[in-house]
């Protein structure tokens, strides 16, 4: 590796640390919900709305920030985003009541919405075409590491101190990232301005809208159970924070592995096979959670399969978005991030409703599995529309590539 390569890698690592902080913030609250609820004098389903506030605000604000701040220096936007993110987490950790905590979760989400899309654009601009894939893998490696390390570390810290200590830990990681970006990142060229209307224009294509809806619905189901993981699997963990941290670590490691192999499997078998196989296995895991949650060994096996399958669905869904309309692929993939976070934001609301009026905590896996099945059915409809459009003769706009899909796209 040349000196220039090493310098580039260090710049990407600086941004990856920021992704680690933001990813940790996204996942860690689920592991400390009971602690927050007790301290703020609310019940767990109400406290889960903190996850909804963060995820929904992030989903809505990401395209808005990208449009409004199009002419702002990329480095200024990155550092500003981390400052807002740090303030949001410190404010959450110091919140005297639930309402204040909710407000600061939105502030933290604003910081994430400023940082994440900007960092992806920055690595693409700095790396150049020949190193783009490596740069993106380093950047999103920070997000994967958050599922494997950030969330369980934060949960363990909560067991030693309290949930407020966890939020300060997240803010501290954000501060490390800010210093790294401030020192190590050079000026980044601004991308061409894209209007808000252009950003959401792919939604006019039913193939893309249905694929995004598959992502939204499936991840609502996947995170309905994850939101209440500390309670659902309490019999297996004996309510111990340390055991729960190890359970989250197992989930995170499996998620990283699932994400790593998803691309290779999609290239070999096609996105439909990978999406449906991973989804069906996740449904089986959720349907048997009433039993696996009572036994520690079974619980660890279940969450590892769940983590691997859940995260293995992301890559083939993005692959389907690209294949549906290659000309709009970048805008479609950016919308997939919002769809993902909207799904995550709906999960606590859906879970809270189900626990209030439909099922007991021990049987939450059943309706969550049903939601995933609904997502897979929507995905089948998107697949049929894509197949139909690719079977039609080229209309002169998309060219031959639209009528001659690759083997993976046909699958």
């Amino acid at each position: 590796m040349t000196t220039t390569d090493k310098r580039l890698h260090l710049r990407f690592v600086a941004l990856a640390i920021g992704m680690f902080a933001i990813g940790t913030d996204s996942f860690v609250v689920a592991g400390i919900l009971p602690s927050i609820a007790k301290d703020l004098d609310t019940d767990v389903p109400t406290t889960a709305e903190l996850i909804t506030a963060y995820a929904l605000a992030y989903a809505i604000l990401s395209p808005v920030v990208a449009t409004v701040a199009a002419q702002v220096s990329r480095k200024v936007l990155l550092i500003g985003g981390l400052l807002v993110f740090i303030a949001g987490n410190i404010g959450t950790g110091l919140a005297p009541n639930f309402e204040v905590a909710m407000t600061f979760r939105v502030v933290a989400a604003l910081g994430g919405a400023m940082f994440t899309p900007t960092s992806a654009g920055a690595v693409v601009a700095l790396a150049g075409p020949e190193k783009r894939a490596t740069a993106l893998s380093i950047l999103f490696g920070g997000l994967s590491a958050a599922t494997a390390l950030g969330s369980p570390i934060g949960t363990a810290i909560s067991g030693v101190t309290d949930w407020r200590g966890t939020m300060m830990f997240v803010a501290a990681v954000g501060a490390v990232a800010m210093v790294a970006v401030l020192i190590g990142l050079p000026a980044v060229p601004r991308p061409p301005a894209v209007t808000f209307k252009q950003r959401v224009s792919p939604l006019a294509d039913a193939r893309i809208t249905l694929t995004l809806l598959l992502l939204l619905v499936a991840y609502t189901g996947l995170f309905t159970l994850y939101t209440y993981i500390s309670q659902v699997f309490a019999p297996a963990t004996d309510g111990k924070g340390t055991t729960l941290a190890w359970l989250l670590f197992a989930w995170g490691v499996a998620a990283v592995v699932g994400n790593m192999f998803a691309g290779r499997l999609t290239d070999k078998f096609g996105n439909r096979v990978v999406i449906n196989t991973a989804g069906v296995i996740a449904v089986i895991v959720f349907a048997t959670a009433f039993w696996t949650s009572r036994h520690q060994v079974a619980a660890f096996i279940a969450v590892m399969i769940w983590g691997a399958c859940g995260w293995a669905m992301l890559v083939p869904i993005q692959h389907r978005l690209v294949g549906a309309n290659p000309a709009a692929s970048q805008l479609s993939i950016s919308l997939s991030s919002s769809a993902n976070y909207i799904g995550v934001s709906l999960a606590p609301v859906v879970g809270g409703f189900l626990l209030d009026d439909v099922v007991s905590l021990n049987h939450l896996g059943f309706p969550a599995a049903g939601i995933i099945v609904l997502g897979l059915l929507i995905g089948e409809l998107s697949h049929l529309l894509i197949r139909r459009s690719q079977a039609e003769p080229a209309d002169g706009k998309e060219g031959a590539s639209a009528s001659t899909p690759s083997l993976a796209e046909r699958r």
Side-chain angles (χ1 to χ4, degrees):
M1 183 183 294
T2 65
T3 303
T4 302
D5 288 340
K6 289 180 180 178
R7 192 179 297 117
L8 275 174
H9 276 68
L10 288 174
R11 292 169 181 174
F12 303 149
V13 168
L15 294 171
I17 296 171
M19 293 292 284
F20 177 83
I22 290 166
T24 299
D25 205 22
S26 301
F27 298 111
V28 75
V29 173
I32 58 176
L33 277 180
S35 177
I36 300 174
K38 183 178 180 181
D39 188 37
L40 298 182
D41 195 26
T42 60
D43 56 31
V44 171
T46 300
T47 307
E49 292 174 9
L50 295 174
I51 299 174
T52 296
Y54 181 92
L56 187 60
Y58 180 96
I60 294 171
L61 291 171
S62 287
V64 174
V65 169
T67 303
V68 172
Q71 298 305 312
V72 177
S73 159
R74 300 297 90 181
K75 188 167 181 177
V76 168
L77 193 57
L78 288 166
I79 294 171
L82 287 170
L83 275 172
V84 173
F85 175 80
I86 293 165
N89 279 282
I90 291 175
T92 304
L94 297 176
N97 55 52
F98 177 76
E99 290 74 19
V100 173
M102 178 78 81
T103 300
F104 277 107
R105 293 311 292 152
V106 174
V107 173
L110 172 60
M114 293 168 67
F115 182 87
T116 303
T118 308
S119 63
V123 298
V124 169
L126 292 173
E130 70 282 356
K131 297 185 183 298
R132 188 170 294 163
T134 300
L136 287 171
S137 68
I138 293 173
L139 178 69
F140 287 101
L143 190 61
S144 297
T147 65
L149 296 174
S151 183
I153 289 173
T155 302
I157 289 173
S158 176
V160 175
T161 58
D162 59 14
W163 71 273
R164 297 178 187 274
T166 299
M167 304 318 297
M168 296 305 173
F169 160 71
V170 175
V173 178
V176 171
M178 187 182 68
V179 172
V181 170
L182 184 64
I183 295 174
L185 197 71
V188 181
R190 283 195 297 267
V194 179
T195 66
F196 184 80
K197 184 178 181 180
Q198 288 172 319
R199 290 185 185 279
V200 299
S201 61
L203 295 177
D205 187 331
R207 300 169 300 174
I208 292 174
T209 299
L210 285 170
T211 303
L212 291 172
L213 195 58
L214 152 65
L215 177 61
L216 189 157
V217 174
Y219 275 77
T220 298
L222 287 164
F223 278 86
T224 292
L225 198 61
Y226 184 84
T227 300
Y228 298 96
I229 191 171
S230 61
Q231 291 184 293
V232 172
F233 287 88
T237 63
D238 292 325
K240 296 177 181 176
T242 303
T243 308
L244 176 61
W246 281 110
L247 197 69
L248 292 172
F249 175 73
W251 184 87
V253 169
V256 172
V257 174
N259 191 59
M260 278 174 48
F261 283 97
R264 209 172 300 172
L265 291 171
T266 300
D267 285 337
K268 184 174 182 180
F269 298 108
N271 59 61
R272 185 190 187 196
V273 170
V274 178
I275 291 169
N276 288 342
T277 301
V280 168
I281 293 173
V283 166
I284 294 170
V285 170
F286 278 32
T288 55
F290 74 95
W291 178 79
T292 58
S293 62
R294 302 176 190 173
H295 311 279
Q296 194 169 105
V297 173
F300 272 88
I301 294 172
V303 299
M304 290 181 74
I305 297 172
W306 163 18
C309 290
W311 282 84
M313 293 177 71
L314 275 177
V315 171
I317 289 174
Q318 292 182 341
H319 181 273
R320 180 173 294 183
L321 287 170
V322 173
N325 188 351
S329 61
Q330 290 190 7
L331 294 175
S332 300
I333 289 175
S334 69
L335 288 173
S336 74
S337 177
S338 292
N340 192 355
Y341 271 90
I342 291 172
V344 173
S345 72
L346 289 175
V349 177
V350 172
F353 168 77
L354 291 171
L355 292 175
D356 283 342
D357 301 307
V358 182
V359 297
S360 66
L361 191 64
N362 191 42
H363 294 93
L364 184 60
F366 289 116
I371 295 170
I372 298 172
V373 170
L374 175 60
L376 295 177
L377 293 175
I378 294 171
E380 281 298 286
L381 182 56
S382 75
H383 171 74
L384 289 174
L385 286 179
I386 292 168
R387 285 288 298 272
R388 182 182 301 172
S389 66
Q390 290 172 341
E392 294 172 353
D395 61 5
K397 293 182 180 180
E398 293 182 5
S401 61
S403 59
T404 55
S406 68
L407 177 60
E409 288 167 343
R410 290 198 302 269
R411 288 170 177 161

